[in-house]
Each structure stands twice: as C-alpha cells, then as structure tokens.
Amino acid sequence: MTDLTTGPAAARASRSAVLDEAHLGDIQGALGTIKQHDTGERLGLTAKFKTLLAIAGPGLIVMVGDNDAGAFDTYGQAGQNYGTSLLWTLLLLVPVLYVNQEMVLRLGAVTGVGHARLILERFGKFWGAFSVIDLFLLNALTLVTEFIGITLAAGYLGLPKAGAVLLAAAVIIASAFTGSFRRFERVAIALCAGSLLLVPLYFMVHPKTSQMVHDFAVPAIPASVFLLLLCNDRAVLGPWANGPKTNAFTSAVVGVLVTLSVILTASVLFPGISSTAILDIMAGCGVIGILAAGYSFTRRRTGTKEDPIDRTGRDNWRMPPLDTLARPTMSTGRKIGMGALRTYLLVAMVLVIIKIVQVALGQ
C-alpha cells in the first residue's frame, strides 16, 4: 500500500520553527483562555466572542498605545493650529496600519518566533542590536514624555506633581514585576479604558459634522523596513513571501509612513510651521520616492529575473528552525537605504530630545 504521507509536501509540513516557552501551552489572555489543543470550530456568536476576548488583548493595547501624553500634545497642537483641516491624513494611515499589521501577523504565524529574533538571526548582530537599542531609546524617551504629561495634568487639576509622578511610576513598575503577562495585560487594558474619555470630550467640543466630513475627504494643504525585508525572505516565509504587487504597494505605504513621520517631527519641533512648509516636505519626500521607484524599476528590468514564488503547499508550510537557514546577503543598495533610514531616525530622536529638554526647562 502506498504511503501518501511522504514526499515534498509532507516534508514541508513536518518542518517547524522552534518555539520558545512564551509560545507554548494554553493561550492565557486577559479576558479568557484557549486550551492548547482546543482547535474545534466556534459555533455561535457567543463562542466566537469569547475566543475574540481571549486573544484581543495585545491588539487592543497596540491600538491604544499611541494615545499617550506626547501624542495628545501633538494632537492638541495640530488642532489648535489647523483645526480639522488635517483629518484627511488619517485616511493615509489606514493602508499604513493595515500593511504593517498584516506583515506582522504573517511573520508570526509562519515563523513562530519574535520580530527581534528574526532580525538578529537573518541580518546579523549589528542590525539586531541597532534595532533593539533604538527601540529601547525611543521607549525611554516616550516614558519621559509620559511623566511630563502627568506633571502637566497634575498641575492643571491642582494635584501634587511629585506625588502624581511617583504614583504613576509605582503602577508601571508594579505591573511589570507581577511575574505574569496575563496580569500585566489586564492592567494595560484597564489603562486603555481611559481612552474612552475621548468620547465625552468629542461631544463637549461639538465640532461641526459637515466640516469634519469635508476635511476627511478634501486635503486642505495645497516601516516597517525590516518587516518588508523579512517578508521578502523566501527562506523565512517560503510560499508566503511577498509578490511584486505586494512589494510595490508596501513600498508606497512605507513612503507615506516616512513622510508623515517627517511632518510630525517638524510640527513638534517647529509649532509655527506653515502649510506651505508642510507641502514642501511632502513634495520633497514624493520626489525622493519617485526616484527610488524609478531606480528599483530600472534595476528590475535590467537585472537577473528571480524565479517565481512557488505557492503550493502554503497552508501547511512553516519556517524551518532558524539555525538551519543560511544568512541572506544584503546588496549595497539595500545597505545604503537602511543606513539612510536609520540615520534619519537617529537625527529625529536627537531633535526630539532637544525638544523634551526645552519643555522640561520651561522654555
């Protein structure tokens, strides 16, 4: 009798990435638990909703994560200077958020390992350390802005500033040292609930609905990089790797993300920036993007064509253990591009540090 479980498809299905302890066992979310071997179909809305509650915590925290003191300061400043005329930029963020979340989901589902580990293993210690260190520094700066915001809020409410900062620090430290991700997730979700205060604030401000709809649709002014690289790594994603159309769309999204980041940094550093200056920034970024796209298109037409991606067997395909994969070689152009982007991030970080010092000194 023929053994139907052998062959290339079975070999692909048997390969699996090595999971760490955090990815083994039951899924214990803040609002529910899914047993390790519970793979049955969810029948009925109640069962589906309970499953959603068990896994929605990390996504909810990420979604609300940018609603911090620094962000609200930027929102308030933009609203004061431009009213609702910049609402149309939110529409530009929709594809940015979708593409980033989709690539993260695909990498996690297929590889079974974390983003930082993939960067370290596939691009080497330098880029791995660079990615982790700049993330650490940016998070540290974010914490500084949080405490500045807490100080300002306490002063506005007539509360002791030192006590408010110490209480906030105690809550953060206590939640991080609970020894349980589930407890930390519950604390984080409870803090996320504070964003619901935006709902009554909206009605208190009572902006004109017609004006908001107009500014959403009509412009009033005449990232992911490692994710993109990893999603093109066929050794990592195999049949799940990006195709040419996905890369073109994702590259455009990364360009939009960088442009918005430049505008945001400029608006924070120079509160009186004019609409003309913002338009010049967008035009400059657009020209650079067109030149980069032209170079990529020309290089693709004149270079050696790559083999098409084999999509067969993708439902059962998993990344092999990382230590069995050969390290990819990075082209000179890719190194220059990554270096330029990281240089921009460093410059932006230094400028934000200067701004934080100025705010702290009351200038």
Side-chain angles (χ1 to χ4, degrees), residues 16 21-22 42 62 70 78 92 97 101 125 195 205 208 217 232 256 270 289 299 328:
S16 180
E21 294 181 357
R42 267 51 180 177
V62 171
L92 298 179
L97 296 174
Q101 294 298 327
K125 294 181 178 179
S195 293
V205 175
K208 293 183 179 180
N232 280 279
V256 171
F270 309 103
R299 188 171 179 271

Side-chain angles (χ1 to χ4, degrees), residues 35-76:
K35 296 295 183 181
Q36 180 178 3
H37 302 292
D38 182 8
T39 58
E41 183 180 358
R42 267 51 180 177
L43 300 177
L45 292 178
T46 301
K48 294 178 180 179
F49 183 67
K50 288 181 178 179
T51 303
L52 177 63
L53 288 178
I55 62 177
L60 180 63
I61 295 171
V62 171
M63 181 181 68
V64 186
D66 280 336
N67 287 344
D68 54 11
F72 276 111
D73 176 69
T74 304
Y75 303 156

